[in-house]
Amino acid sequence: MGSSYAHPFLSATIFFPKSPNLQLPSSSSPPRYHSLRSRFCFHSSFQSPAQPSPTLTTNNYNHLIQSLCKQGNLNHALKLFSHELNPTQHTYESLILACSRQNTKSFALAIDGRLAADGFYNDPFLCTKLINMYSHFGSLESARKVFDGTPEKTIFVWNALLKTLVMAEKGDEALSLFSEMAHNGVPFDSFSYSFALKACLASSPPAPALLGQIHNHVIRAGFVSRVHVVTTLVDCYAKIGNVVSARTVFDEMPHKNVVSWSAMIACYAKNGRHFAALEIFREMNMMRDPEIIPNSVTMISVIQACAGLAALNLGKVVHGYVLRRALNTIVSVMNALISLYAKCGRLDLGQQIFDKMIYIVPRNVVSWNSMISGFGIHGFAKESIRIFEKMIGAGISPSPITFVGLLGACSHGGLIDEGRRLFDSMHKEHNLLPQSEHYACMVDLLGRAGQLDEAAKLIEEMKIEPGQTVWGSLLGACRIHGNIELAERACSHLFALEPWNAGNYILLADIYAEAKLCEEVRRVKNLLEERGLHKLQGCSWIEVRKRLYSFVSVDELNPQIEQVHALLTELVKQAKEIGYVPNTKFVLCDLEHEEKEKIVMGHSEKLALAFGLISSEKIDVIRITKNLRLCEDCHELTKIISKYMNRKILVRDVNRFHHFSDGFCSCMDYW
DNA sequence: GTAGGGTTAG
């Protein structure tokens, strides 16, 4: 083509005769109406081609328009299009695809207008493409209009609208379309089922029962042998937290591929079943099937599982595998690794990846967010803000998650005014509307700092409905500051929004226990029992020589448990001599002081700490992870031990890291 | 001609 790229109109006449596809539409093509009204009329910036030939009746730019579309030269393609009397199906297809690719919605509407006027709505192929295009733009009404205007609705047309509604999170509308299909006797294909299954998750409220019903339909229609459909099923069950059903469906799959395995690994990783995720990853590799090789998506879930366990050494092995497979060229894998190291207490290694990755792959907003949140969970709020400012300086627009990380960092670091300023800047400077999660961060920030009334006022002023995270943050703050009245108010919402969450009942009971309101404690405990809920058992674990050792409060399985108890008893004895007094204020009433102390002494994090002291070298940092919030008594004792034993101790609890050294904790007792 | 799994937070 040579210089013709720069001058498509001049060259049009040159290429026209050479074009191999200049047939007139075949007789089976939809009817055309070449009235003046149907002539394409674009935005005024479209001028006529340099040398249009108004007298040409056999005008045919189709081939050229198509190649211009392929080159991404939509402007020129559209100019030619306005002079093309007989656009073919292929020309329309090229234009529609080019519009989607280039996100040019105004052009799309113009193409649609002419397509309708030319009678191409009779062509279900093009209507499918149009619906997909509007789906891409998020223009639901336009997509629906095309659908309604399509007389011959093939399964492609129905599926295209189904997909559009699902992608736009309009689950209810998608499900009613699905019913309409059934009512009209449209024979569903595997695609219809995949979309309908996803629609169950997007409906409000999500419809787990309906998911089961559509699953039954899938079985009856004989689609359980279709990998795509069953993988969708695994994923849907995973996303509603039904791990058992996901696994059952997965086990029954006649053919599994890397995507189905990855979906199952992701299911475990996302639902907190980290060990199970790693175990099934091992199983996948044991298959030794040359077709089933872990890819970047698989590895991201595996990395997440390692991060969930804070399994630093295992994470390093996985990192090695990533390098050997050259998956370090994938930005999402690198982002997951940054987060892994941050969650394993090795921010330095995360920072190293962040610094060096630019030589291999460009960073994206998630890379920055990972660093911001990483510093945040370690309590280094100022570092978080510094990275954020660097990110803005680099011209990266922050996402809503950036602010979740930043505000969380301010909360952990006690930077109240900075937090307020950043929250205000969301809308003013970054055009982001604060969501429920952001309000939850602010409530946490203000609440922790003891400004409970201001936190409550912020909730009252919210323009959106406060979600469970908002009330949960308020309840957490009430526990720290012992505010019964506000706690009860928060619980009245939480018990309605998430009646199954035992954690809320426990927090309320703790607040009553501290105030010595034993009758109220009993009432809440009864409520918990009536609803068949159980307190999540505290569990702490520690990695020693590449093995993970976990502890629960009553632990007789560990072979070294007697040694652990003996050391702990000795440590507590010595700590008491230098003024340590066990803190039992949150142990639920009705027990003698000795009993209460015994309960506190059996806490899993103390057992893990004693085990760490026995099993590690003096120079090692002791790294402990706990599945709940670190208890105040354990926090106090760990501070004393860090000084007394001259050890560095790093504890990750459910919210953040605590760096203990020389009798102090990095959280400054503010967590 | 359409489709399945993934990164950051809570």
Side-chain angles (χ1 to χ4, degrees):
Chain A
M1 292 269 241
S3 62
S4 65
Y5 279 63
H7 305 284
F9 304 118
L10 295 177
S11 62
T13 48
I14 302 168
F15 287 111
F16 180 65
K18 291 184 190 168
S19 174
N21 292 327
L22 296 178
Q23 306 98 337
L24 287 167
S26 68
S27 55
S28 61
S29 293
R32 321 266 147 105
Y33 309 100
H34 294 143
S35 68
L36 271 178
R37 272 193 308 143
S38 75
R39 287 305 298 269
F40 201 35
C41 183
F42 274 123
H43 189 270
S44 58
S45 65
F46 295 125
Q47 290 158 4
S48 298
Q51 296 293 324
S53 176
T55 52
L56 263 183
T57 48
T58 55
N59 204 2
N60 195 324
Y61 293 120
N62 283 311
H63 183 64
L64 193 57
I65 294 169
Q66 287 159 31
S67 50
L68 287 169
C69 285
K70 266 189 201 155
Q71 294 160 23
N73 199 343
L74 190 55
N75 264 322
H76 288 161
L78 287 169
K79 282 179 191 169
L80 275 193
F81 182 52
S82 63
H83 292 276
E84 170 55 67
L85 299 178
N86 296 305
T88 63
Q89 185 195 56
H90 207 63
T91 300
Y92 273 114
E93 187 193 358
S94 305
L95 287 164
I96 292 169
L97 288 179
C99 273
S100 275
R101 271 200 302 268
Q102 296 183 22
N103 274 323
T104 41
K105 198 174 159 189
S106 55
F107 293 172
L109 289 167
I111 292 169
D112 184 8
R114 177 155 174 207
L115 192 141
D118 278 358
F120 266 110
Y121 268 34
N122 285 329
D123 183 348
F125 175 91
L126 285 180
C127 291
T128 306
K129 294 280 176 194
L130 264 186
I131 295 171
N132 289 339
M133 178 186 74
Y134 283 128
S135 171
H136 175 80
F137 292 133
S139 314
L140 294 195
E141 274 180 32
S142 304
R144 174 71 79 166
K145 229 163 128 185
V146 176
F147 176 84
D148 291 337
T150 311
E152 190 199 336
K153 292 184 179 59
T154 61
I155 188 68
F156 290 98
V157 176
W158 286 99
N159 286 350
L161 188 64
L162 251 187
K163 178 191 160 188
T164 304
L165 295 170
V166 172
M167 301 278 278
E169 304 258 301
K170 303 278 178 198
D172 298 321
E173 286 178 47
L175 287 168
S176 64
L177 185 73
F178 189 68
S179 310
E180 197 184 327
M181 287 170 81
H183 190 250
N184 289 355
V186 180
F188 299 127
D189 66 3
S190 61
F191 294 81
S192 326
Y193 282 113
S194 281
F195 296 134
L197 289 167
K198 279 173 175 283
C200 297
L201 304 184
S203 66
S204 55
L210 208 52
L211 189 65
Q213 279 180 32
I214 298 177
H215 182 179
N216 285 334
H217 279 285
V218 169
I219 296 169
R220 282 202 294 274
F223 284 120
V224 272
S225 55
R226 300 292 276 267
V227 185
H228 277 95
V229 181
V230 188
T231 305
T232 309
L233 260 173
V234 171
D235 186 50
C236 289
Y237 280 124
K239 291 203 166 113
I240 59 164
N242 189 343
V243 180
V244 174
S245 294
R247 182 61 194 251
T248 309
V249 174
F250 176 78
D251 284 341
E252 286 168 357
M253 278 180 90
H255 305 290
K256 299 181 179 79
N257 61 17
V258 65
V259 182
S260 7
W261 282 96
S262 303
M264 197 60 231
I265 296 168
C267 167
Y268 283 129
K270 277 272 156 64
N271 285 288
R273 302 276 306 276
H274 308 300
F275 274 116
L278 296 175
E279 176 56 28
I280 200 159
F281 175 62
R282 196 183 63 84
E283 243 177 76
M284 171 184 171
N285 292 317
M286 294 285 282
M287 303 270 297
R288 302 203 179 279
D289 182 336
E291 298 286 306
I292 300 175
I293 307 288
N295 60 22
S296 61
V297 180
T298 324
M299 294 319 293
I300 285 168
S301 293
V302 173
I303 295 167
Q304 274 186 316
C306 293
L309 291 169
L312 176 62
N313 286 306
L314 194 58
K316 284 180 176 171
V317 172
V318 172
H319 188 173
Y321 180 83
V322 162
L323 295 176
R324 283 200 299 284
R325 293 281 324 283
L327 296 173
N328 56 335
T329 55
I330 315 265
V331 65
S332 45
V333 175
M334 299 315 274
N335 296 341
L337 282 172
I338 293 172
S339 178
L340 163 81
Y341 284 121
K343 287 177 181 169
C344 288
R346 291 297 303 267
L347 263 175
D348 54 327
L349 297 180
Q351 176 92 56
Q352 249 179 48
I353 295 178
F354 181 78
D355 290 342
K356 291 183 179 163
M357 68 190 279
I358 44 166
Y359 300 114
I360 303 168
V361 57
R363 294 171 190 147
N364 61 14
V365 65
V366 180
S367 327
W368 292 89
N369 290 351
S370 305
M371 285 304 295
I372 290 169
S373 305
F375 279 120
I377 53 172
H378 282 267
F380 304 141
K382 286 187 177 154
E383 277 303 293
S384 251
I385 296 171
R386 192 183 62 81
I387 290 275
F388 170 70
E389 283 165 353
K390 240 175 130 180
M391 167 182 157
I392 300 299
I396 309 280
S397 304
S399 70
I401 293 173
T402 313
F403 283 94
V404 175
L406 263 180
L407 297 173
C410 291
S411 182
H412 293 311
L415 299 185
I416 295 129
D417 291 337
E418 271 303 76
R420 275 205 195 96
R421 186 185 65 75
L422 286 162
F423 182 74
D424 287 341
S425 79
M426 275 187 76
H427 192 216
K428 285 183 191 149
E429 292 172 36
H430 304 287
N431 202 24
L432 290 169
L433 276 179
Q435 298 302 307
S436 204
E437 290 77 10
H438 303 107
Y439 281 99
C441 290
M442 284 308 288
V443 169
D444 188 63
L445 178 89
L446 297 167
R448 269 179 210 282
Q451 302 180 16
L452 284 168
D453 291 338
E454 198 182 333
K457 197 168 149 244
L458 183 71
I459 299 178
E460 274 168 26
E461 288 168 1
M462 278 176 72
K463 290 192 180 73
I464 50 174
E465 196 60 34
Q468 49 217 34
T469 48
V470 175
W471 294 115
S473 295
L474 187 66
L475 180 61
C478 291
R479 181 193 179 279
I480 296 171
H481 299 288
N483 188 322
I484 295 173
E485 191 195 327
L486 264 184
E488 286 172 341
R489 202 202 304 175
C491 281
S492 68
H493 290 95
L494 285 167
F495 292 168
L497 285 166
E498 43 175 21
W500 59 86
N501 188 345
N504 297 326
Y505 301 81
I506 303 293
L507 275 175
L508 185 61
D510 280 353
I511 295 168
Y512 286 140
E514 194 192 359
K516 306 219 173 349
L517 297 171
C518 293
E519 201 47 50
E520 295 302 310
V521 173
R522 256 193 297 278
R523 192 177 58 80
V524 178
K525 280 183 77 180
N526 287 341
L527 211 56
L528 199 66
E529 262 174 45
E530 276 166 25
R531 298 185 178 181
L533 302 170
H534 301 282
K535 182 179 178 177
L536 182 64
Q537 190 177 24
C539 176
S540 301
W541 60 95
I542 179 169
E543 197 183 34
V544 175
R545 287 181 287 277
K546 299 193 181 178
R547 289 194 64 174
L548 288 177
Y549 294 85
S550 66
F551 296 85
V552 288
S553 51
V554 185
D555 198 333
E556 281 148 15
L557 293 175
N558 190 304
Q560 283 177 284
I561 199 71
E562 277 181 28
Q563 241 182 307
V564 167
H565 277 299
L567 177 66
L568 193 56
T569 308
E570 182 57 29
L571 285 170
V572 169
K573 196 177 141 203
Q574 293 182 25
K576 278 182 176 171
E577 280 169 18
I578 54 169
Y580 161 66
V581 181
N583 177 346
T584 59
K585 68 179 181 182
F586 289 118
V587 177
L588 303 183
C589 312
D590 299 344
L591 289 173
E592 294 303 318
H593 180 70
E594 286 73 25
E595 280 299 306
K596 285 186 179 181
E597 194 174 318
K598 209 172 152 191
I599 289 174
V600 170
M601 285 311 137
H603 277 180
S604 64
E605 50 266 54
K606 290 196 183 80
L607 300 178
L609 175 59
F611 182 76
L613 288 165
I614 292 171
S615 326
S616 61
E617 302 296 329
K618 185 102 184 155
I619 52 159
D620 292 343
V621 175
I622 296 176
R623 298 164 195 279
I624 295 168
T625 310
K626 195 190 172 195
N627 66 339
L628 301 173
R629 181 182 184 271
L630 188 55
C631 128
E632 278 160 45
D633 180 60
C634 293
H635 192 266
E636 200 53 37
L637 186 66
T638 310
K639 281 199 295 190
I640 294 168
I641 289 174
S642 75
K643 186 175 175 74
Y644 182 70
M645 304 284 284
N646 191 23
R647 297 294 299 257
K648 288 201 182 333
I649 302 160
L650 192 54
V651 181
R652 186 183 99 183
D653 76 2
V654 72
N655 291 321
R656 60 163 295 160
F657 273 91
H658 301 257
H659 298 244
F660 293 96
S661 174
D662 199 28
F664 292 96
C665 177
S666 62
C667 78
M668 307 297 283
D669 304 339
Y670 184 85
W671 83 103

